[in-house]
Amino acid sequence: MRTHTCGQLRLENVGQRVTICGWVDTSRDHGQTIFLDIRDRYGKTQVVVNPDSGSAALEIAKSFRGEDVVLISGRVDRRLEGKDNTKLDTGAVEVVAEEVRLLNRSLTPPFFPNQEELPGEDLRLKYRYIDLRRTAMQNTLLLRSQIIKKMRDYFADHQFIDVETPILGRSTPEGARDYLVPSRVHWGKFFALPQSPQLYKQILMVAGYDRYVQVARCFRDEDLRADRQPEFSQLDVEMSFVDADDVIGLIDGLMVKLAKEILGIDLKTPLPRMTYDEAMRRFGSDAPDLRYGMEIVDCSDLARQTEFRVFRGAVDSGGFVRGLKIDRRAEEFSRKRIDELTEFVKHDFAAKGLAWFRCEPDGSLWSPISKNVEPTVLEGFKQRFQTSPGDLILLLADAWEVTCKGLNGLRRKLAAELKLYDPAQMHFSWVVEFPMFDHDPEENRWVATHHPFTAPRPQDLSKLKETPDACRAQAYDLVINGYEAGGGTIRIHDSGTQQCVFDLLGITPEMAVNRFGFLLDALRYGAPPHGGIALGIDRVVMLFGGLDNIRDCIAFPKTQRAMDLMTEAPGDVELKQLRELHIQVETPPVKSK
RNA sequence: GGGGCCGUAGCUCAAUUGGUUAGAGCACCGGACUGUCGAUCCGGAGGUUGCGGGUUCGAGCCCCGUCGGCCUCGCCA
């Protein structure tokens, strides 16, 4: 139908007879001359319809409205002297219409792809096909496509084999809530959609496919966030005969390639690494944003020297007193703003409160509580924080976890508000040596930090039974700008260690056989040492695209309540379908007032 | 499950903080116009203020509930 796209024509095409197709972006009707901007995903081209085009063409063009689909044939002409549009790549030329055809009329859309203010997100999602016409969305999906292609190229270049794994799998109680699919054939039984292809890729290692890669769709039925969707894509990787350094090194190479070819940035390798313990100590997070400083400072030892109950009480009960310093901007923090920060840490992180000190022009520390704190301790704070006049210190006195979460929350919030970093800047790093286990206080048991197949560091094997909390895993997370962009582990490849870990997690041999017997069996039939990683493709695209939510890098995302506003999924099904699946739906309980 | 913000014309927003007939820009409809590129000019139509209840002489505004969107804690690798 068309000879050129709407982004293609240049001065060198002047004189050619061309046909372009696309959507009417705008029309400017001057009576005997009509200018049309025709748009497709490649760009926009101006069309001129005038009396030379014929009165019929003029008549048709006059009827065009935004988003009508049209075909224009005509001659490419250099624009009149001084009439170039420098905003368009095609701005030096225009198509003088000889034939003007309406291919399909559009209803007046609820919004226009070229409108300056973005409509509400619910409208954008309901009319996603219109939203996807916006250049920003098209650029993002193009970026996504390029990133995935480069990932595939990279792994193909490194002798990886792409293997597809099942979508209909088996539910495993570990980890996130599963999306379930009922079986028609097997009464009362269910498939589960994969949270990740974890077990399959390990089986592939046993099978000798020593370098596996897949762009895998994964599903987790948990609550959504700006950076979390119930279905998402992972670049899933597994390798045999490797240690953590091998996997990290491979991904370093991928990041170098992506940063160079997508962003034009030269990354130095190896990418910086930090242990989990150091990350929690310095930033209170296992995915610290390293684009700015404002590190956590520990004052627990100073707190032990004061009679002030808030500080002393915290350390006496096994807690910590830790804080952040905001450089030279105390005047921006009114009492009201500090109260808001206090509310923030109390409400969001269950902190007991927020103590603060302002460094005065004479260098002394002032605070509503400063009279309660001994001068020597105040002096200690000054030394510890290296305060200068105008600095503001924020302190939490709480359990370790609360200080971590609260200070991490404060650090991120303040860095954004105070613009402590350039949003275009990118920072890549690794966090390594995660703990093997977290303690679940509610059920008083150990749970796997990563998953139950994660191998401990060899030097920590002996700690496995006596001090599980001191045992560190061969685990590594890729962190970009404070987001976990991916994570992986070296796996346990011998059934003895695996049994030991199951014991700790309270998984009895019977349960283990029942849940992952096939993996345990496989590990007994010549399993090579192996490990891998999975990168969150949506998040990588989000970060490389400088976007602040994951929905904008997915063509058809779900809302926060996990609905698709365009298709209105999930939806009702016929009673007949339910009967075939042997499923009865409970009547929802009536909400009591 | 908890907390917060938002919901007014097709879209983006306003409405002097409870006051009489709810406005603007864009879009839409009709008309004019041969060089625009956010075209311009003239005219027109368009509203259950998300929905339900309450307070009040009077509610877009206050209260309660509910629906929807977003952010967040819990949850989630």
Side-chain angles (χ1 to χ4, degrees), chain A residues 80-241:
Chain A
L80 297 183
E81 186 72 28
K83 300 291 185 184
D84 288 6
N85 184 346
T86 50
K87 291 182 202 163
L88 297 181
D89 292 337
T90 62
V93 299
E94 60 195 7
V95 174
V96 182
E98 291 164 4
E99 184 191 357
V100 174
R101 227 158 85 195
L102 177 67
L103 296 177
N104 202 358
R105 184 75 75 191
S106 171
L107 295 176
T108 302
F111 60 93
F112 288 88
N114 60 6
Q115 74 185 48
E116 59 289 4
E117 306 104 334
L118 217 48
E121 190 155 4
D122 42 354
L123 254 204
R124 292 176 53 206
L125 291 173
K126 178 171 181 185
Y127 298 95
R128 194 60 162 173
Y129 37 87
I130 294 170
D131 192 46
L132 291 174
R133 286 179 194 163
R134 295 169 45 238
T135 342
M137 287 304 302
Q138 295 183 335
N139 288 343
T140 304
L141 291 188
L142 178 63
L143 172 71
R144 184 185 178 107
S145 170
Q146 289 171 335
I147 286 175
I148 291 173
K149 177 174 189 308
K150 287 178 190 302
M151 287 173 165
R152 290 199 154 115
D153 288 348
Y154 181 81
F155 285 95
D157 289 347
H158 286 78
Q159 286 75 52
F160 280 74
I161 175 171
D162 189 327
V163 183
E164 290 168 278
T165 52
I167 293 293
L168 295 176
R170 190 192 157 114
S171 176
T172 51
E174 297 288 329
R177 194 176 293 115
D178 284 318
Y179 274 100
L180 297 178
V181 179
S183 164
R184 173 181 56 85
V185 179
H186 301 278
W187 188 291
K189 303 222 185 252
F190 292 83
F191 296 101
L193 304 183
Q195 296 176 24
S196 79
Q198 183 61 38
L199 299 178
Y200 294 108
K201 67 176 176 177
Q202 291 192 240
I203 298 283
L204 284 170
M205 293 305 107
V206 180
Y209 293 77
D210 62 349
R211 295 192 152 208
Y212 144 91
V213 70
Q214 181 184 192
V215 174
R217 195 68 65 88
C218 306
F219 306 85
R220 292 178 189 159
D221 188 5
E222 297 292 347
D223 286 350
L224 280 63
R225 284 288 188 285
D227 61 348
R228 269 170 23 197
Q229 281 275 304
E231 65 177 302
F232 58 100
S233 297
Q234 282 190 345
L235 181 78
D236 195 42
V237 175
E238 194 78 4
M239 305 164 78
S240 294
F241 312 115

Side-chain angles (χ1 to χ4, degrees), chain A residues 422-442:
Chain A
D422 170 6
Q425 190 191 345
M426 297 285 283
H427 191 284
F428 299 75
S429 68
W430 291 95
V431 173
V432 300
E433 294 177 22
F434 279 68
M436 281 288 287
F437 309 100
D438 292 324
H439 193 253
D440 179 352
E442 279 182 25

Side-chain angles (χ1 to χ4, degrees), chain A residues 398-498:
Chain A
D398 244 304
W400 173 258
E401 291 76 18
V402 174
T403 62
C404 283
K405 288 184 176 180
L407 292 171
N408 174 49
L410 280 174
R411 184 171 172 270
R412 285 175 190 253
K413 182 186 175 73
L414 291 168
E417 288 176 3
L418 297 170
K419 297 190 183 1
L420 295 186
Y421 57 91
D422 170 6
Q425 190 191 345
M426 297 285 283
H427 191 284
F428 299 75
S429 68
W430 291 95
V431 173
V432 300
E433 294 177 22
F434 279 68
M436 281 288 287
F437 309 100
D438 292 324
H439 193 253
D440 179 352
E442 279 182 25
E443 303 188 35
N444 191 32
R445 65 185 188 103
W446 296 104
V447 291
T449 304
H450 215 97
H451 55 60
F453 317 108
T454 301
R457 297 194 307 165
Q459 60 267 49
D460 291 349
L461 259 176
S462 54
K463 299 176 184 163
L464 207 48
K465 282 178 180 158
E466 301 304 320
T467 52
D469 50 332
C471 191
R472 290 295 176 265
Q474 298 187 59
Y476 31 83
D477 276 5
L478 175 67
V479 178
I480 307 177
N481 297 353
Y483 285 89
E484 180 200 329
T489 64
I490 299 300
R491 330 294 181 187
I492 299 170
H493 65 278
D494 69 282
S495 48
T497 309
Q498 186 66 73

Side-chain angles (χ1 to χ4, degrees), chain A residues 331-447:
Chain A
E331 72 280 2
E332 292 174 45
F333 288 83
S334 62
R335 201 52 188 268
K336 186 184 168 202
R337 189 171 180 189
I338 293 175
D339 286 347
E340 284 164 3
L341 294 176
T342 307
E343 262 321 292
F344 171 64
V345 291
K346 283 167 92 168
H347 177 267
D348 275 17
F349 306 106
K352 295 189 187 73
L354 181 68
W356 59 275
F357 292 90
R358 189 174 62 214
C359 186
E360 302 289 64
D362 65 1
S364 65
L365 292 185
W366 187 88
S367 163
I369 57 166
S370 50
K371 55 184 170 298
N372 301 321
V373 182
E374 297 77 356
T376 52
V377 176
L378 284 179
E379 190 59 33
F381 283 148
K382 282 169 63 178
Q383 296 290 327
R384 188 66 52 85
F385 279 97
Q386 293 285 297
T387 53
S388 306
D391 290 352
L392 181 71
I393 296 174
L394 302 174
L395 288 171
L396 291 185
D398 244 304
W400 173 258
E401 291 76 18
V402 174
T403 62
C404 283
K405 288 184 176 180
L407 292 171
N408 174 49
L410 280 174
R411 184 171 172 270
R412 285 175 190 253
K413 182 186 175 73
L414 291 168
E417 288 176 3
L418 297 170
K419 297 190 183 1
L420 295 186
Y421 57 91
D422 170 6
Q425 190 191 345
M426 297 285 283
H427 191 284
F428 299 75
S429 68
W430 291 95
V431 173
V432 300
E433 294 177 22
F434 279 68
M436 281 288 287
F437 309 100
D438 292 324
H439 193 253
D440 179 352
E442 279 182 25
E443 303 188 35
N444 191 32
R445 65 185 188 103
W446 296 104
V447 291

Side-chain angles (χ1 to χ4, degrees), chain A residues 54 123 136 199 294 299 327 396 462 493 500 543 567:
Chain A
L123 254 204
L199 299 178
M294 200 157 69
C299 303
D327 287 325
L396 291 185
S462 54
H493 65 278
C500 191
L543 292 163
T567 65

